[in-house]
Amino acid sequence: MDESVDWVNKLPTCFYKATLEKSRKFITLGGMIDAITGHSHAQLLENSFCFIHPDDPGKVHSYFASCKPGSFEITYRIVIDGQTVWVKDSGFIELHDPKLSPEIIGMINNVNEEITSEHQLQSLLDHQARELNQAKERLETALKEQEVREQER
């Protein structure tokens, strides 16, 4: 392997070049492909959607099918060793020749920790909001009861 490219394969991301025909089709891949996607270079070249969570291929396919030249970013789930992992796929789409399919230059990063933290934080905020609303309702009830008692005096 060329040493000038070796450092790319040590970065904690998966770089790729793909064509955009009906959807994304990988042409070349680099970086920590196995670690990020859970699949080999050969598997991804054969099937660009093989690593995507069973509920998300339609979302990803539709996204890339509707993409226009320019930057893009999509977050979706993948499956690695039976575990669901969130990734962010971002980059840009170029159209060099109107007679050819657009090209995608992108990278896939594991954002599982960020997404999981966001979901946990949102869950905590939702729980706190429910508790606050319940406390507010109890306070309003207590104030109404106190008002009734004062009027009865």
Side-chain angles (χ1 to χ4, degrees):
M1 174 178 283
D2 182 359
E3 274 189 46
S4 63
V5 178
D6 190 42
W7 65 271
V8 170
N9 294 322
K10 295 178 182 172
L11 294 173
T13 191
C14 174
F15 299 98
Y16 67 88
K17 184 174 183 180
T19 59
L20 184 59
E21 293 167 11
K22 292 179 182 174
S23 192
R24 175 184 63 188
K25 173 85 174 113
F26 294 129
I27 300 171
T28 60
L29 296 148
M32 299 181 82
I33 300 160
D34 292 347
I36 298 295
T37 68
H39 288 73
S40 71
H41 185 268
Q43 289 172 313
L44 292 175
L45 289 177
E46 184 177 320
N47 180 352
S48 298
F49 286 82
C50 67
F51 66 108
I52 298 175
H53 187 280
D55 294 339
D56 288 356
K59 168 187 168 181
V60 176
H61 177 76
S62 295
Y63 180 83
F64 281 107
S66 66
C67 273
K68 304 290 182 226
S71 62
F72 72 89
E73 180 177 297
I74 180 173
T75 302
Y76 53 89
R77 297 167 295 175
I78 66 173
V79 178
I80 299 176
D81 297 327
Q83 298 295 314
T84 299
V85 176
W86 286 92
V87 295
K88 179 170 70 173
D89 193 332
S90 59
F92 59 94
I93 299 171
E94 295 181 321
L95 182 59
H96 298 291
D97 181 344
K99 297 175 190 168
L100 301 175
S101 297
E103 287 185 343
I104 305 172
I105 306 297
M107 62 183 178
I108 301 170
N109 292 297
N110 182 325
V111 292
N112 199 58
E113 191 172 307
E114 292 90 345
I115 298 290
T116 301
S117 294
E118 286 175 14
H119 288 167
Q120 289 172 344
L121 180 58
Q122 188 61 52
S123 178
L124 179 62
L125 289 172
D126 292 346
H127 177 73
Q128 293 293 333
R130 282 191 302 276
E131 285 187 351
L132 185 58
N133 283 333
Q134 290 170 353
K136 179 183 171 190
E137 290 172 5
R138 288 192 302 271
L139 179 60
E140 288 173 348
T141 300
L143 287 173
K144 286 179 185 174
E145 289 172 356
Q146 181 179 1
E147 193 175 299
V148 167
R149 283 194 302 272
E150 287 179 4
Q151 288 176 356
E152 290 175 351
R153 288 186 195 171

